[in-house]
Amino acid sequence: MTPSPWTPLHAQLHRGIRQRQLFCRGDRLLMAVSGGQDSLCLAQLLLDLQPKWGWELAIAHCNHRWRPDAGANADYVRSLAESWGVPVFIETAADIPASEAAARAWRYDVLGAIARAHGYSRVATGHTMSDRAETLLYNLVRGSGADGLQSLTWRRELCPGVALVRPLLDVRRVETAEFCQSRGLRVWEDSTNQDLRHPRNRIRQDILPALKAHLNPQVEAALAHTAELLRADVDYLESAAADLLHRALPPAAPPDEHPQLHRPTLQIAPLALQRRALRQFLARHLPEAPGFEPVEKLLALLDAPNRSQTDPFPGGAIARVAGDWIELVDPANRAKQ
């Protein structure tokens, strides 16, 4: 077989994987392939780099059943995997996801389950710099803080023992299209990408082109760089907040005692760390991830008079001031106090 041509994109990916330690030599990688240009580009690049790294590669495809051609799309990915000589796993949703968020959650659950069942330690997706810019804008208009604005990250835990890796975050979507064209890869067009009822499509089709035309031709790169800077800031702040929270907890609380926080320890910390430490505390004890308002309610108790309390958090628990401590009281135990 004729060796694939080594392009600048191959060199960029090879260098990025090594510098960021995204994969190790000999890793077993599961490539998420939708059939679109980004995932096809990534799959072909990883296949081309395989001899240098000794990876064991496989393909996974998630059929959401959103489109009439979804079955044909899955068949195409299967035939592509067979032509490349790599294992392929196709999963079809039992129930059609009701939203993009539900589809994304189902997809990641499926990818994690496939990886764990078949011994793949990494799941690689074709998210690009363009996706990162779109996600930052989407989260910005929804009122996200720095955590949301860092948007897509290079690597995160997908499930125990499996990492989700995005090796193309420094590659623009126009570059993946050019690569697929140069290699003769048939791209399966997803008609739902043109549906402007989806906010991300509106950002992609209308807002980013307007920003490019009127404000900054390199807006995708600028937003992606902002996300990268915020990622490092968030990592540092989360670590510092975890240390602050550790110091604010009682040294050896009995298992049946109310969760507590030491107010004087928190009061002398910067506001940014206070908020993060309180959010981490609530995340441990509430049934859902705390948003802005629950954190602010708890923050107000740091300087509140004794016996002050919040209204109920999600799940029914309340927080109250007991001298130098804030107690989080579960509704099941509240009547006993």
Side-chain angles (χ1 to χ4, degrees), residues 48-161:
D48 293 345
L49 292 177
Q50 184 182 25
K52 292 182 176 294
W53 288 86
W55 297 317
E56 293 184 47
L57 300 176
I59 284 175
H61 176 80
C62 299
N63 177 2
H64 303 92
R65 297 172 51 212
W66 266 351
R67 310 186 317 271
D69 66 342
N73 187 173
D75 291 340
Y76 169 60
V77 173
R78 186 189 303 277
S79 66
L80 193 63
E82 291 171 352
S83 71
W84 281 336
V86 299
V88 60
F89 305 94
I90 307 289
E91 289 290 334
T92 302
D95 299 307
I96 300 175
S99 66
E100 285 186 305
R104 183 167 54 255
W106 173 78
R107 185 167 62 249
Y108 284 148
D109 285 346
V110 165
L111 291 171
I114 294 173
R116 294 191 69 182
H118 298 278
Y120 294 96
S121 60
R122 307 284 185 269
V123 173
T125 67
H127 292 103
T128 64
M129 177 189 293
S130 306
D131 292 305
R132 203 175 199 188
E134 292 162 9
T135 302
L136 187 149
L137 284 177
Y138 178 67
N139 287 339
L140 178 64
V141 298
R142 293 171 64 231
S144 296
D147 292 37
L149 296 184
Q150 67 172 323
S151 62
L152 304 176
T153 57
W154 291 94
R155 177 173 172 166
R156 70 169 177 85
E157 184 180 71
L158 182 59
C159 61

Side-chain angles (χ1 to χ4, degrees), residues 263-276:
R263 294 204 296 169
T265 299
L266 291 164
Q267 286 167 346
I268 62 175
L271 178 59
L273 292 184
Q274 289 176 349
R275 283 193 169 113
R276 287 182 177 276

